Amino acid sequence: MVVDVVQAVESDGPEILALRHAAEDWLAERGIIQWRPREVSVEQVGQQISRGEFFVARDRAQSRIVGALRLIWSDPVVWPDSNEPAGYVHGLVIDREFSGTSLGERLLVWAHRRSAEEGAQYLRLDCVETNVRLRRYYRDAGFAEVGRRDFGDAVDNGWFSVVLFERSLT
C-alpha cells in the first residue's frame, strides 16, 4: 500500500474522528486504558486541523484516510519543563484494517523526518502508564522512556499517569 502523508483539511475532521472512535472502541473491548471513549469532539479535531496540527495518511489507490496524527511543537501540559526544540506526537491512529502493516511505524518515521526538518532535537510522545503493549511498541520503535507525569484527582477516580518517551533526532 502506498500512502501519502499530508496536512489535514477541514473536511477530514469527521473521518479522523471516526478512526479515533474505532480505536477507542477496540481498546475498550480489550480492557486497554489509553483513550476515554468519545473524549474528543469533532469541534476539537476541527480546531486542531485549523491550527495545522493534524496530518493524515491517505491510501493513494483509494484516496481514503488510513491513519492520522497530530504533530505539535510544544506541549506544556504533558512536558512542562522542556525547553529543547521538539516535535510532539499525539493522537496517532491507524485504520484497524491496516493493523500489522507497519503503517504506525511509517507515520512515526514521517514525524521523525518532519521534526528534524523543522530543527527539532527530539521527537516526543506519551502513553498511559498501564498500556504495557503500547509502551513496548514505542521502545521497539526506538523511543526511550524518560519520565512520567501524573494527572487527575484520586478523589474523583480520574487519576492516571503517562510515561514520557523521546527519540533523539541528531
Side-chain angles (χ1 to χ4, degrees):
M1 168 183 52
V2 178
V3 298
D4 296 309
V5 180
V6 297
Q7 192 151 30
V9 296
E10 184 179 339
S11 60
D12 293 333
E15 200 170 348
I16 292 168
L17 196 58
L19 282 178
R20 179 170 171 125
H21 286 172
E24 291 168 353
D25 295 344
W26 184 88
L27 291 164
E29 288 168 6
R30 285 151 183 78
I32 301 170
I33 299 170
Q34 180 62 38
W35 291 332
R36 278 179 268 180
R38 310 314 183 255
E39 71 180 327
V40 175
S41 69
V42 71
E43 291 81 18
Q44 288 170 300
V45 171
Q47 291 168 358
Q48 294 162 346
I49 290 171
S50 70
R51 290 192 301 262
E53 298 175 359
F54 252 110
F55 296 85
V56 295
R58 286 193 187 280
D59 176 3
R60 198 178 284 176
Q62 299 177 8
S63 189
R64 72 179 179 115
I65 296 173
V66 295
L69 61 80
R70 284 178 60 218
L71 183 61
I72 57 179
W73 307 110
S74 70
D75 189 356
V77 173
V78 180
W79 297 77
D81 302 322
S82 297
N83 297 320
E84 308 88 1
Y88 298 85
V89 171
H90 285 286
L92 173 63
V93 63
I94 62 164
D95 186 322
R96 294 298 315 154
E97 183 180 328
F98 298 97
S99 177
T101 65
S102 301
L103 180 57
E105 293 167 33
R106 289 163 53 189
L107 286 172
L108 288 173
V109 167
W110 176 88
H112 182 277
R113 186 172 47 252
R114 176 70 184 252
S115 296
E117 289 169 358
E118 294 293 326
Q121 293 176 1
Y122 298 98
L123 182 60
R124 293 178 169 152
L125 46 79
D126 64 272
C127 76
V128 174
E129 184 176 40
T130 57
N131 193 338
V132 177
R133 188 171 166 190
L134 187 55
R135 289 172 66 184
R136 183 175 47 247
Y137 178 84
Y138 289 143
R139 283 191 307 270
D140 290 347
F143 289 85
E145 291 187 17
V146 295
R148 75 176 247 183
R149 184 132 162 77
D150 299 322
F151 291 94
D153 184 342
V155 174
D156 71 5
N157 252 353
W159 185 267
F160 67 100
S161 297
V162 297
V163 176
L164 307 176
F165 289 87
E166 73 180 13
R167 183 174 176 180
S168 176
L169 302 180
T170 55

